[in-house]
Amino acid sequence: MKLLYTLNQRPPKGITLLLALQHMLASIGGIVAVPLIVGSSIGLPSPDIVSLINAALLASGIVTIAQCLGIGPFGIRLPVVMGSSFAFLGVAIAIGKEGGVSSIMGAALVGSFVVIIASFYMDKVRKLFPTVVSGVVVTLIGLTILPVAMNWVGDSPTVSEEFATLPKLFLAAVSLGIVVAVSVYCKGAVAASAIVIGLAGGYIVALSLGMVNLEQLSSAAWVGGPEPFKFGLTFSLSAIISMSLVYIVVIAEATGDFMALGNNCHTKVSGKDLKRGLLADGVGSTLSSILTAMPLASFSQNVGIVGITGVASRYVVATTGGLLILGGLFPKLAAFAVTIPKPVLGGVGFVMFGMIAYAGIRMLIKAADTKRNALVICVGLASGLAVTFEPRLLQHLPHDLSNFLHSGITTGTIVTVLLNILLPKSSAKEEKEALAESQLQVEEEMAEQSLNETNVQQDDTLETSAPLTSSKNSN
């Protein structure tokens, strides 16, 4: 896909703000949901939950800017949105019920050093992710996160009769339809804003149907601020170990996200780049613990936005970081974004998450089409999707191991990396022939795409010149 704005381009200020807003709207629900669910689950009073949310927005904004623009050795300098990760949800609730918020923050603070230490070995880790492995990981990120969009559409527990009622399905379909229509029939900055236009259109329809709850907007304060160490820090060995295991999962997910972003931005991601990205990720989670926010991770849905819109500018997403900071300092702004109905987010999420899977599939196309690689891909994808579709497969494993492998991305990544290491390499001749055939297919696809674009341009020219010709003939 041709990029509308490349990695280091700066769009006009008005367009930058609009494009940054759609990244914020796509991510803020997830950023807010984690502290909201954790706080509610462990019985925190509403003012304390609001503090957790404000801290999450503030930390997300600061670390997003650091990732996009880079600060010395920190930041991958790609359009990465950072936010409170759902990966930590279960373990944070379990720790919080036993030791309170102070125990969550203490475990998160110590655990963040796992990511910091791991970042110094990313040159070696990068060698474990050739194209065939990277493609599987990125595809799994897109496919395994799709249930999040489905749950957004349902907007109720799956066992409830209110799950995915017809009005909710209608809202999701409207939002999805708007995104598709704008992407296909519009051009330039309008097409690049397909996500935010889809969200706005769905929101207007939801308002007309009375499906928008404005209670959070009216109850939110106008001004807020960070409250470092508000709940204090306590340290439990079992909590630290549990949290550290989840951080290892996040390392695998972040590696996949960074490589998918590099692919969408037409930029090669090196081991050094991964090191800077994970270092910012780890230090960002350390900062989050100090600010009393949940641990951070890269947001996969925003990887999909880059793929859909063709806007790879890191300055756009750095602006998103600024908007998130404002949301943390001025809770009314964040509260407005949170009022977007979940089905609207779900309809848009289908496109965003599907685009991530598409990016992974395109990476797999570039891998040599050998029997060995086919086994690596098939078994890796099947392993990751198996634990996603049927989590009970892990129910008889030791608790810590089951908790570690519950993520389809983690399981699929481990299986794919191991298979790629253990299976005998294809012969040099077979590999060369397969790569040549794969390259030929890619070149034919690019030539066909170029021909189609030329035909479209010619058609546009003919449509433009036709009235002029008619006018001359009439004279």
Side-chain angles (χ1 to χ4, degrees):
M1 178 184 292
K2 185 178 180 181
L3 294 178
L4 182 63
Y5 294 106
T6 59
L7 186 64
N8 294 310
Q9 278 186 308
R10 298 174 184 257
K13 291 181 180 178
I15 294 176
T16 295
L17 185 60
L18 181 64
L19 297 174
L21 181 63
Q22 78 179 355
H23 276 283
M24 178 186 178
L25 294 176
S27 61
I28 195 168
I31 295 172
V32 168
V34 174
L36 180 63
I37 293 170
V38 171
S40 302
S41 299
I42 64 178
L44 284 183
S46 295
D48 287 344
I49 294 176
V50 171
S51 295
L52 289 179
I53 292 173
N54 288 343
L57 291 169
L58 187 62
S60 297
I62 293 170
V63 184
T64 294
I65 292 173
Q67 286 282 29
C68 294
L69 302 183
I71 302 173
F74 304 100
I76 195 169
R77 292 154 175 85
L78 289 177
V80 181
V81 174
M82 303 293 293
S84 303
S85 173
F86 282 96
F88 293 95
L89 203 55
V91 70
I93 291 172
I95 294 172
K97 285 183 175 179
E98 185 174 336
V101 179
S102 63
S103 187
I104 296 174
M105 296 304 157
L109 178 65
V110 177
S112 66
F113 288 96
V114 171
V115 184
I116 294 172
I117 294 169
S119 70
F120 290 96
Y121 298 94
M122 289 314 293
D123 285 328
K124 296 179 180 178
V125 171
R126 183 65 185 90
K127 294 177 182 178
L128 299 176
F129 290 86
T131 303
V132 65
V133 177
S134 301
V136 172
V137 175
V138 174
T139 304
L140 278 173
I141 289 173
L143 295 179
T144 58
I145 202 174
L146 267 176
V148 174
M150 297 175 192
N151 289 330
W152 282 345
V153 173
D155 195 24
S156 287
T158 52
V159 296
S160 169
E161 291 184 1
E162 293 299 312
F163 183 82
T165 56
L166 289 179
K168 294 174 182 176
L169 291 177
F170 175 70
L171 267 186
V174 167
S175 304
L176 174 60
I178 292 173
V179 173
V180 173
V182 172
S183 298
V184 172
Y185 296 108
C186 299
K187 296 180 180 179
V190 177
S193 306
I195 299 297
V196 73
I197 293 173
L199 290 171
Y203 192 88
I204 291 170
V205 173
L207 273 174
S208 67
L209 296 175
M211 296 177 66
V212 178
N213 182 4
L214 297 175
E215 182 181 348
Q216 294 184 69
L217 181 61
S218 60
S219 61
W222 281 102
V223 180
E227 299 179 76
F229 302 113
K230 177 176 180 177
F231 300 97
L233 297 172
T234 56
F235 303 97
S236 160
L237 182 60
S238 61
I240 290 170
I241 292 173
S242 297
M243 190 70 78
S244 298
L245 287 173
V246 183
Y247 272 114
I248 294 172
V249 173
V250 167
I251 290 171
E253 294 183 353
T255 302
D257 282 343
F258 293 155
M259 290 187 295
L261 257 180
N263 184 68
N264 285 347
C265 297
H266 301 180
T267 300
K268 185 176 180 180
V269 177
S270 66
K272 185 178 179 180
D273 294 326
L274 290 175
K275 174 184 175 180
R276 290 200 304 255
L278 274 180
L279 188 57
D281 197 330
V283 173
S285 290
T286 305
L287 174 66
S288 294
S289 303
I290 293 172
L291 294 176
T292 316
M294 295 295 155
L296 301 180
S298 56
F299 266 29
S300 299
Q301 57 261 49
N302 296 85
V303 179
I305 291 177
V306 174
I308 295 166
T309 62
V311 177
S313 172
R314 58 197 178 106
Y315 299 103
V316 166
V317 178
T319 305
T320 300
L323 293 176
L324 289 171
I325 291 173
L326 287 176
L329 297 177
F330 300 97
K332 283 283 186 188
L333 297 176
F336 175 74
V338 175
T339 63
I340 299 174
K342 290 293 194 301
V344 174
L345 290 171
V348 172
F350 275 27
V351 184
M352 294 189 299
F353 304 153
M355 186 58 70
I356 298 171
Y358 170 74
I361 292 168
R362 285 187 63 85
M363 293 171 74
L364 291 175
I365 291 173
K366 297 176 183 178
D369 187 16
T370 62
K371 184 183 293 186
R372 174 194 178 277
N373 283 353
L375 283 171
V376 172
I377 293 167
C378 294
V379 178
L381 285 174
S383 301
L385 294 176
V387 298
T388 301
F389 295 151
E390 189 46 87
R392 289 176 298 178
L393 288 172
L394 305 173
Q395 64 182 344
H396 295 297
L397 294 178
H399 175 72
D400 287 341
L401 182 60
S402 174
N403 193 46
F404 178 61
L405 296 175
H406 85 284
S407 165
I409 299 170
T410 304
T411 301
T413 298
I414 291 172
V415 170
T416 307
V417 169
L418 287 176
L419 282 174
N420 188 60
I421 293 172
L422 298 175
L423 291 182
K425 302 292 182 183
S426 304
S427 66
K429 182 180 178 182
E430 184 183 5
E431 188 91 11
K432 187 175 181 180
E433 289 176 352
L435 280 171
E437 184 178 348
S438 176
Q439 183 63 33
L440 181 61
Q441 291 176 348
V442 172
E443 289 175 357
E444 288 176 350
E445 180 186 338
M446 292 176 64
E448 183 179 353
Q449 183 178 354
S450 177
L451 179 62
N452 290 337
E453 289 177 355
T454 302
N455 289 338
V456 169
Q457 290 174 355
Q458 289 175 347
D459 290 343
D460 290 344
T461 303
L462 288 172
E463 289 176 6
T464 305
S465 60
L468 297 175
T469 305
S470 176
S471 175
K472 287 180 181 178
N473 290 339
S474 65
N475 291 333

